[in-house]
Amino acid sequence: MKKQFAVIGLGRFGGSICKSLVAEGMEVLAIDMDEEKVNEFAPDVTQAAIADTTDEKALKSLGIRNFDHVIVAIGDNIQASILTTLMLEEMGVEHITVKAQNDYHEKVLERIGADEIVHPERDIGVRIAHNVVSENVLDHLELSDEYSISELVAGSTIAGETIYDLDFREKYGSSILAIKRGDDMIVSPLPDETIQQNDVIIVLGANQDINRLENHWMD
Ligand code: ATP
């Protein structure tokens, strides 16, 4: 059976999640207290409802307990976000993802048992900072406080060398997950693969090692 999602709060973040889930063919219930927002999304989603989710009765009458995954994307109103999450938790919703506005909000959400807490603004800030600091970085994804995946463009310094010669793992504690070469994607490249200029190298490693790579290696 298809997974059933509910998205509460149809701002830019919640709205974008709704659209992406629908594009993936998922069933989505979109909820907002603002009628205009609900009308805007109603044509695209499986079901849309006007409700203040801090009102327990309203939440219950939506049958929210039966959804597999609920995403709380209420933005500025931290109190409403916390109260909604708490009630979802008490109703026994299987999986709850909540957008956090700040560290204080995150702490409270952790305490009340949100399964997943996301910080879209902070995360995108980190990614963009990486992209603007180093021209060779195409994209950067922090997996945790310690580890990241980064997409780096190979410059002339390393072009012509094999992965074995470069010894990424030993020198930089990083692993090459894949190489994008034009339209080709070489997944888990072998040690004898020769790097070509403008290859896009996707590496996984500790943040400090990835930073070293980004700063020194790709000229
Ligand atoms: P984003 O940063 O994602 O763009 P935003 O700044 O648009 O978010 P808000 O407008 O603060 O975020 O909130 C997102 C949506 O959540 C709004 O459309 C708002 O109507 C809705 N919302 C806020 N409180 C509640 C609530 N108690 N019940 C239902 N929806 C709510």
Side-chain angles (χ1 to χ4, degrees), residues 99-110:
K99 170 184 154 168
Q101 276 314 69
N102 53 44
D103 292 346
Y104 153 75
H105 190 190
E106 172 167 7
K107 261 201 189 127
V108 179
L109 292 171
E110 266 173 16

Side-chain angles (χ1 to χ4, degrees), residues 8-14 32-34 37 51-54 73-76 80 99 121:
I8 300 174
L10 304 173
R12 281 160 301 180
F13 179 68
D32 202 295
M33 62 199 273
D34 177 350
K37 290 270 173 175
D52 177 347
T53 56
T54 60
I74 295 174
D76 296 338
K99 170 184 154 168
E121 282 95 354

Side-chain angles (χ1 to χ4, degrees), residues 69-162:
H69 194 152
V70 179
I71 294 132
V72 182
I74 295 174
D76 296 338
N77 191 343
I78 292 180
Q79 196 177 327
S81 160
I82 292 171
L83 202 51
T84 299
T85 308
L86 185 61
M87 286 192 290
L88 293 171
E89 195 62 50
E90 282 178 350
M91 285 176 196
V93 171
E94 177 104 13
H95 196 111
I96 307 169
T97 298
V98 193
K99 170 184 154 168
Q101 276 314 69
N102 53 44
D103 292 346
Y104 153 75
H105 190 190
E106 172 167 7
K107 261 201 189 127
V108 179
L109 292 171
E110 266 173 16
R111 273 290 171 93
I112 58 180
D115 300 292
E116 198 178 4
I117 300 162
V118 293
H119 294 261
E121 282 95 354
R122 191 182 70 186
D123 295 349
I124 206 74
V126 171
R127 282 170 86 160
I128 290 175
H130 266 91
N131 296 6
V132 294
V133 165
S134 167
E135 283 176 6
N136 299 308
V137 179
L138 295 184
D139 207 351
H140 183 90
L141 175 69
E142 292 218 328
L143 299 175
S144 68
D145 287 344
E146 273 181 75
Y147 293 95
S148 300
I149 291 179
S150 211
E151 275 194 348
L152 309 164
V153 182
S156 54
T157 342
I158 64 167
E161 308 244 21
T162 64

